[in-house]
Amino acid sequence: MDLLEYQGKQFFAGYGIPVSAGEATNDVDAAVAIADRIGYPVVVKAQVHTGGRGKAGGVKLAADAEECREHASNILGLDINGHIVETIWIEKASDIAEEYYASFTLDRSARLHLGMLSAEGGVEIETVAEENPDAIAKIHVDPVVGLTEEACRDWVAAANLNPAATEGAVDILLKLYTAYVDGDADLVEINPLILKPTGEVHALDAKVSLDGSAIYEHPEYEQYEATQPRDEREQAANDKGLQYVGLEGTVGVIANGAGLAMSTVDVVNQVGGKPANFLDIGGGANADVMAGALEVINNDPAVKAIFINIFGGITRGEEVANGIVEAMQRVDIDPPIVIRLDGTNAEEGRAILEPNLSEKLMMEDTMLDAARRAVELAGAEPAGGSN
Amino acid sequence: MSIFVDETTKVVYQGLTGSQGRYYGLLNRDYGTQVVAGTNPKKAGTDVEGIPIYANVAEAKEATGATATCIFIPAPGVQGAVLEAAEAGIEFIVAITEGVPAHDEAYFYNKLKRDFPGTRLLGPNCPGIISPGKTNIGITAGHIAKPGGPVGIVSRSGTLTYQALYELKQKDIGVTTCVGIGGDPVPGTSFIDCLRAFEADPETKAVMMIGEIGGSEEEEAAEFIEHGMTKPVASYVAGVTAPPGKKMGHAGAIVSGGKGTAQAKMEALAAAGALVGNNPTEAGELMSEIVAGL
């Protein structure tokens, strides 16, 4: 779950990390009122789930109320890489002496937490990593031990920050590690972490990604669900408890199990088609789940054919087949369906499907043949048409 | 021979009294697994279809001599369950539960490594382990696998594991052990752990490896295949068409920052000398050719 900058700053502030005073709004008049309250100069910042805000004109300095009004009205509604700005964050402008970079994330390879700190902040860390890898001081943290102050001091020393920033950086990094662990974050990143001319260290930006699996420990994270970037199809599927990822093609995919669903999408692609989605209905594949999945796919106007790929493990073939037949009676489906049913009691399952086969419901023995058939049907369908 | 477990392995089911634990625990027992006990502090002294329930793993181990556990506890309780089993001296822990927070996984992985080096964890978010004809610990449908050998299977995906077992059975190829390591960011047991065990197992003559996008485990496994393995490997990696930044069902299955693509993994495996199929069926055919040539 990715947070917007202002949500990230509020998250940081909850762990005592110094951030700029500010407020979020979706209204121009309110923006000016906030700026009046905070005191000028202020920065007006677009809140979107994409990078490159500055270049797109989504971050502007305002010296007075008139400028604030102008920037707020320009930025609200702005299209940044296809993301329309609905919220802006107004914050007190900061004087900057130096810009640093700091983050924590999981190093999957080492199975330890990884902290990265660099005196070269303000730019993409990937760029620094490529052009000047020595400028990034890394620390591996064993979650059982945690980040000790001693280790943190050594790490800060290794990053060669301005000595004036040492104390402030150590303090912020210890808090940032606590926020990362206690907040169940996949990533916490401050870029830039700034040193002010007055000597204070301060988080000028916030990039936070939270682990969706840990929501039960943090019921307050529910509020972030509302601002997640999701297409409508994804939202509808999630509401039904289905794992769905929208893609750009014309072949709707339904499979049981994440690996098989991923593999099905791959195979559609291999035989020359374009998958419209990834949809994992899980192990059960009963009528309710199948009907829900078919509804989601059916509501996608781009879909010209549907490929249902089920491998019965514990779930037996006849249960799956009955589920499909019942679901088709409940949902009025436009595009033709191709089914591949294999695994436990596949024969019995196919026997149930057999009398229901038609021009709208076809069956193939293998995953590859079924994919070919579905791709062919998707291509044969006139654009925008349906029977 | 099988790796990690065999027909003598006595298993405690943590969460046997829950609906999932009961369903799969009894299926596993029907298969022949020595399901010797369950745990539930509130139901100690009762039983599930004749399987005694103890208050905790230590008591269950004491009473039955179990060396393994299988966890069907809901995600919030998994960390406690893993550590409870390790502290009781259990050697092999299978955690089936999905949706365990990554920070919990990172914590108990390192806790085991540091304080309980004799304990192996498989999972979380995995289908478990099956040595066909001997024991089945987890949620795999036992009858889709042919007992015997000469193939060992290791996989990050549940359904693709079933697909692989089934394809091999159709071709009349037996499996020594099939290990589902799971699709989470911090798996207790890695591809390399399994490849090393298969390399050392005299009955396993070839290995089928099924990977997916995300992380760098397949690349690390490729390195091991190149330098540490003499046995042939057939492989498949799911997620060639996965868009960057989108989780494809498994918490670990995500391509981020251009890293962890299926293409890169397939190339690394091929460069290491493994045969790489473009889909599960093709990988099955490659394995069938390997077996025919043994």
Side-chain angles (χ1 to χ4, degrees):
Chain A
M1 229 168 22
D2 295 332
L3 302 197
L4 292 164
E5 175 199 358
Y6 80 93
Q7 295 167 329
K9 283 184 170 166
Q10 288 164 352
F11 174 81
F12 282 171
Y15 290 93
I17 295 168
V19 294
S20 308
E23 279 179 56
T25 180
N26 53 13
D27 178 77
V28 175
D29 288 335
V32 176
I34 292 165
D36 286 347
R37 210 157 44 232
I38 297 171
Y40 296 92
V42 296
V43 186
V44 183
K45 303 176 91 174
Q47 301 297 296
V48 280
H49 287 287
T50 179
R53 288 180 302 172
K55 276 186 197 151
V59 181
K60 294 282 185 187
L61 185 68
D64 53 36
E66 197 184 326
E67 281 187 19
C68 179
R69 177 172 299 280
E70 185 190 334
H71 294 324
S73 49
N74 286 340
I75 293 173
L76 279 169
L78 190 67
D79 181 334
I80 302 180
N81 303 330
H83 297 249
I84 306 297
V85 180
E86 288 170 2
T87 306
I88 48 176
W89 167 254
I90 316 295
E91 76 175 15
K92 180 98 179 134
S94 299
D95 290 328
I96 301 171
E98 294 189 12
E99 295 188 315
Y100 308 135
Y101 170 95
S103 70
F104 286 102
T105 186
L106 174 71
D107 181 344
R108 290 173 54 161
S109 196
R111 291 168 163 72
L112 295 166
H113 298 312
L114 173 68
M116 290 198 280
L117 180 63
S118 174
E120 296 186 16
V123 287
E124 290 279 320
I125 196 66
E126 286 83 2
T127 313
V128 180
E130 252 172 50
E131 291 170 4
N132 191 8
D134 292 342
I136 303 172
K138 295 183 179 176
I139 185 173
H140 273 116
V141 184
D142 183 332
V144 178
V145 179
L147 180 63
T148 63
E149 185 174 336
E150 194 189 355
C152 187
R153 282 191 183 278
D154 289 346
W155 177 35
V156 169
N160 290 316
L161 310 183
N162 186 324
T166 301
E167 291 309 314
V170 167
D171 180 58
I172 285 188
L173 291 169
L174 289 170
K175 287 172 176 161
L176 187 64
Y177 181 77
T178 302
Y180 167 67
V181 174
D182 291 358
D184 276 295
D186 289 333
L187 168 75
V188 290
E189 182 182 87
I190 306 176
N191 190 22
L193 175 72
I194 59 163
L195 172 65
K196 295 183 179 180
T198 45
E200 294 124 337
V201 181
H202 181 104
L204 198 59
D205 198 1
K207 191 171 174 190
V208 175
S209 184
L210 300 171
D211 180 357
S213 296
I215 283 195
Y216 68 83
E217 283 177 22
H218 311 275
E220 71 277 14
Y221 289 177
E222 300 276 350
Q223 60 175 311
Y224 303 131
E225 288 283 355
T227 51
Q228 289 309 298
R230 260 197 204 114
D231 72 34
E232 279 177 33
R233 300 173 294 173
E234 224 164 306
Q235 192 62 56
N238 287 358
D239 291 346
K240 293 182 198 294
L242 302 167
Q243 295 283 331
Y244 180 100
V245 176
L247 302 169
E248 304 296 319
T250 54
V251 179
V253 168
I254 298 175
N256 65 332
L260 187 64
M262 229 186 289
S263 185
T264 309
V265 166
D266 287 351
V267 169
V268 166
N269 205 58
Q270 271 166 29
V271 299
K274 290 268 174 281
N277 65 277
F278 160 100
L279 201 171
D280 169 16
I281 57 170
N286 62 31
D288 285 343
V289 177
M290 189 59 80
L294 282 170
E295 265 172 42
V296 169
I297 303 274
N298 202 33
N299 286 338
D300 181 351
V303 170
K304 302 294 172 234
I306 300 173
F307 177 10
I308 301 180
N309 189 10
I310 303 293
F311 187 89
I314 299 274
T315 311
R316 295 189 305 274
E318 57 265 42
E319 291 173 60
V320 176
N322 282 326
I324 292 171
V325 171
E326 196 187 325
M328 289 194 60
Q329 284 159 1
R330 279 200 244 160
V331 189
D332 192 14
I333 300 146
D334 297 329
I337 299 174
V338 183
I339 299 173
R340 172 259 182 171
L341 176 61
D342 215 334
T344 308
N345 291 10
E347 289 300 321
E348 291 83 343
R350 289 177 194 158
I352 290 169
L353 289 171
E354 201 73 46
N356 295 282
L357 296 181
S358 68
E359 277 180 3
K360 300 290 297 282
L361 182 66
M362 282 148 272
M363 196 159 62
E364 294 286 348
D365 282 350
T366 71
M367 191 159 152
L368 273 173
D369 287 342
R372 283 195 194 98
R373 189 78 175 268
V375 167
E376 201 180 287
L377 288 164
E381 198 72 19
S386 60
N387 319 340
Chain B
M1 249 168 72
S2 49
I3 64 168
F4 304 144
V5 292
D6 61 28
E7 66 276 21
T8 67
T9 306
K10 291 181 178 172
V11 193
V12 177
Y13 282 60
Q14 295 174 263
L16 186 70
T17 52
S19 64
Q20 295 276 303
R22 180 190 176 96
Y23 180 70
Y24 291 108
L26 293 175
L27 273 182
N28 288 174
R29 183 174 71 171
D30 288 347
Y31 189 80
T33 306
Q34 295 210 37
V35 182
V36 295
T39 59
N40 182 334
K42 289 180 197 138
K43 295 186 179 165
T46 65
D47 71 276
V48 170
E49 309 257 329
I51 304 164
I53 303 298
Y54 296 88
N56 53 54
V57 176
E59 285 178 21
K61 180 176 188 282
E62 172 75 30
T64 63
T67 56
T69 71
C70 186
I71 297 176
F72 279 99
I73 306 265
V78 168
Q79 176 160 313
V82 168
L83 296 178
E84 179 191 329
E87 279 159 14
I90 292 296
E91 292 160 21
F92 192 73
I93 303 169
V94 180
I96 306 296
T97 314
E98 66 179 315
V100 177
H103 279 274
D104 286 6
E105 291 183 2
Y107 180 84
F108 59 67
Y109 174 87
N110 283 287
K111 182 77 177 166
L112 293 191
K113 192 175 163 193
R114 177 179 286 269
D115 296 337
F116 305 98
T119 300
R120 170 173 299 287
L121 171 68
L122 177 63
N125 189 18
C126 77
I129 182 167
I130 173 170
S131 181
K134 296 178 178 170
T135 190
N136 183 9
I137 307 170
I139 60 176
T140 304
H143 56 86
I144 59 172
K146 181 177 152 65
V151 176
I153 299 177
V154 56
S155 169
R156 257 171 82 181
S157 149
T159 32
L160 288 177
T161 311
Y162 309 156
Q163 173 85 34
L165 282 169
Y166 188 72
E167 299 230 3
L168 293 183
K169 190 182 182 186
Q170 304 289 90
K171 298 179 200 306
D172 205 34
I173 298 171
V175 170
T176 54
T177 308
C178 174
V179 193
I181 60 173
D184 273 6
V186 193
T189 290
S190 68
F191 276 127
I192 294 180
D193 295 332
C194 298
L195 292 172
R196 186 178 286 127
F198 281 133
E199 176 70 14
D201 173 37
E203 277 176 27
T204 302
K205 309 286 185 205
V207 180
M208 185 142 174
M209 176 180 147
I210 299 165
E212 63 185 30
I213 52 162
S216 56
E217 266 233 39
E218 287 79 2
E219 287 87 336
E220 288 151 20
E223 198 141 306
F224 181 81
I225 289 168
E226 187 168 4
H227 302 291
M229 274 195 89
T230 58
K231 297 176 181 175
V233 177
S235 63
Y236 167 67
V237 181
V240 178
T241 39
K246 290 275 190 186
K247 278 183 190 172
M248 299 295 254
H250 286 162
I254 182 167
V255 174
S256 47
K259 292 256 172 66
T261 67
Q263 201 57 43
K265 290 171 187 299
M266 286 175 5
E267 281 164 16
L269 286 164
L275 300 182
V276 184
N278 282 312
N279 51 62
T281 310
E282 216 177 285
E285 280 158 10
L286 291 171
M287 181 46 84
S288 159
E289 284 167 27
I290 289 174
V291 171
L294 285 173

